[in-house]
């Protein structure tokens, strides 16, 4: 049986045949899944700025322009053999309406283009994509670029050091999701862990840190590597496709993606609160730091 039965594409009306649209069509064609393409239409900016009332005739004309655009998008997908339905929704609360729709529709996979936001803006306003990573109840595939419409190389990025990933089984969930996508696309599956031991030295005096690193860091690295290998063995990942690399996670993953021409990275996301929510998860930071695309899966437990 196919890994996917129902795919949901949140389309970007600013782009024709966007990376996410091409990825969604390719996945639907490969899996035989039904694709539903959806556009959320907000009132024009002037109605927010001046609090103007939009006449029904104006709203209908505005919606019709988006509906025409979406039908053009659907047509090229149908010409490629994709079964696609379309829908345009008027919304003044896009995030709420989007999450409500996703929860009711229950797609096997949500696909959307990454909306690029400046680092300064992200400090003050949480981007819509980050809200989806945190709160969407289904796997979320956010696409920056898709040089290969159908992924050829897929990476499962795990973190054996995090206790929450062990408690919830998130590492195993990441690998299963990546493997399912790889099987669907006839793609290579790679297993990656970018480990950073330097935070372990925070707060340790320089003299003590040298002794501590000699006595403990090698042991810690060996322990992490052992757990990483256990994950690889458990999920039958070939040895040549396992990558245990040193360095901070986000730069390490980004460099790996660039060097290996990776199409999709499967990562986990954990609901956070307080300062952890402010700084964002590794997955959220990776979203704006690397090419290709991210497929995010939720932990079974929430913090």
């Amino acid at each position: 049986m196919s890994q996917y039965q129902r795919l949901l594409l949140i389309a970007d009306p600013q782009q024709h045949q966007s990376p996410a649209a091409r990825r969604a069509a390719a996945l639907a064609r490969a899996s035989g899944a039904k694709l539903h393409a959806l556009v959320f239409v907000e009132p024009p900016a002037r109605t927010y700025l001046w609090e103007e009332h939009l006449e029904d005739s104006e709203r209908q004309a505005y919606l019709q322009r988006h509906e025409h655009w979406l039908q053009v998008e659907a047509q090229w997908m149908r010409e490629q053999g994709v079964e696609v339905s379309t829908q345009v929704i008027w919304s003044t609360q896009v995030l709420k309406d989007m999450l409500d729709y996703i929860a009711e529709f229950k797609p096997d996979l949500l696909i959307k283009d990454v909306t690029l936001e400046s680092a300064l803006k992200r400090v003050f306003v949480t981007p819509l994509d980050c809200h989806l990573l945190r709160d969407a109840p289904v796997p979320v595939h956010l696409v920056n670029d898709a040089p290969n419409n159908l992924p050829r190389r897929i990476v499962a990025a795990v973190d054996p050091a995090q206790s929450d990933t062990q408690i919830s089984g998130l590492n195993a969930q990441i690998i299963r999701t990546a493997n399912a996508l790889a099987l669907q696309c006839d793609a290579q599956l790679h297993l990656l862990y970018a480990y950073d031991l330097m935070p372990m030295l925070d707060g340790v005096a320089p003299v003590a840190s040298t002794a501590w690193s000699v006595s403990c860091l090698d042991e810690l690295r060996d322990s992490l590597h052992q757990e990483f290998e256990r994950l690889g063995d458990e999920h039958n990942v070939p040895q040549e496709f396992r990558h245990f690399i040193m360095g901070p996670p986000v730069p390490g993953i980004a460099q790996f993606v660039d060097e290996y021409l990776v199409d999709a990275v499967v990562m986990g996301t954990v609901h956070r609160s307080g300062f952890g929510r402010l700084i964002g998860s590794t997955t959220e930071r990776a979203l704006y730091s690397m090419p290709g695309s991210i497929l995010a899966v939720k932990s079974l437990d929430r913090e």
Side-chain angles (χ1 to χ4, degrees):
M1 179 181 289
S2 169
Q3 305 298 329
Y4 303 116
Q5 304 297 316
R6 300 194 333 157
L7 303 177
L8 177 61
L9 168 67
I10 296 181
D12 180 0
Q14 304 303 316
Q15 299 187 63
H16 174 57
Q17 296 191 18
S18 73
R22 298 198 311 273
R23 175 63 50 80
L27 285 175
R29 189 170 60 253
S31 64
K34 296 179 180 179
L35 175 62
H36 188 59
L38 179 64
V39 171
F40 285 89
V41 180
E42 296 182 83
R46 64 178 176 83
T47 62
Y48 286 121
L49 184 61
W50 302 109
E51 297 184 353
E52 293 182 4
H53 174 68
L54 199 66
E55 298 293 337
D56 286 344
S57 59
E58 291 181 282
R59 186 174 74 169
Q60 288 304 316
Y62 200 55
L63 285 170
Q64 285 173 6
R65 287 198 296 272
H66 285 82
E67 287 170 352
H68 175 73
W69 174 88
L70 189 55
Q71 288 305 319
V72 171
E73 290 297 288
Q75 183 57 35
W76 68 259
M77 296 180 188
R78 293 185 180 115
E79 290 172 356
Q80 294 184 8
V82 177
E83 182 179 349
V84 56
S85 54
T86 63
Q87 189 175 3
V88 174
I89 295 178
W90 181 264
S91 175
T92 58
Q93 303 179 76
V94 170
L95 175 61
K96 178 182 182 303
D97 291 344
M98 195 175 289
L99 289 173
D100 288 346
Y101 191 97
I102 295 167
E104 182 177 352
F105 189 79
K106 296 182 176 63
D108 298 310
L109 185 65
L110 167 66
I111 306 168
K112 181 184 175 298
D113 288 286
V114 172
T115 302
L116 297 177
E117 305 280 6
S118 69
L120 180 60
K121 183 177 180 179
R122 298 200 303 269
V123 170
F124 298 101
V125 180
T126 301
L128 175 64
D129 292 344
C130 291
H131 280 294
L132 291 175
L133 289 176
R134 297 173 186 179
D135 299 321
V138 299
V140 178
H141 189 29
L142 295 173
V143 185
N144 258 319
D145 191 16
N148 295 312
N149 294 339
L150 203 64
R152 308 312 307 161
R153 289 185 179 87
I154 297 166
V155 167
V158 296
D159 186 358
Q162 293 295 321
S163 60
D164 53 29
T165 60
Q166 294 301 309
I167 293 170
S168 65
L170 183 54
N171 281 327
Q173 190 178 353
I174 289 168
I175 300 172
R176 286 195 298 267
T177 301
N179 187 52
L181 181 63
L183 289 173
Q184 194 66 77
C185 302
D186 192 25
Q188 286 183 355
L189 172 65
H190 293 254
L191 185 64
L192 172 68
Y193 175 39
Y195 69 94
D196 185 9
L197 302 182
M198 293 309 296
M200 302 293 181
L201 297 178
D202 287 349
V204 180
V207 174
S209 67
T210 301
W212 194 90
S213 64
V214 170
S215 60
C216 297
L217 288 185
D218 284 346
E219 182 178 342
L220 177 59
R221 180 192 179 282
D222 290 344
S223 176
L224 293 172
H225 188 255
Q226 183 177 4
E227 176 59 22
F228 175 76
E229 291 294 337
R230 186 195 67 78
L231 284 169
D233 292 342
E234 183 178 323
H235 294 275
N236 299 312
V237 179
Q239 192 67 47
E240 63 269 26
F241 292 156
R242 302 180 193 181
H243 311 273
F244 186 77
I245 63 177
M246 182 173 65
V250 172
I253 295 171
Q255 182 176 353
F256 183 88
V257 167
D258 187 56
E259 289 182 0
Y260 282 78
L261 303 178
V262 171
D263 296 296
V265 179
V266 182
M267 303 178 70
T269 181
V270 178
H271 183 81
R272 300 181 185 277
S273 58
F275 185 69
R277 189 177 182 90
L278 176 65
I279 63 174
S281 67
T282 299
T283 305
E284 290 173 24
R285 285 180 278 123
L287 183 64
Y288 300 101
S289 304
M290 66 183 191
S293 58
I294 287 176
L295 199 169
V297 297
K298 286 278 191 306
S299 64
L300 300 179
D301 298 334
R302 288 196 152 202
E303 294 181 74

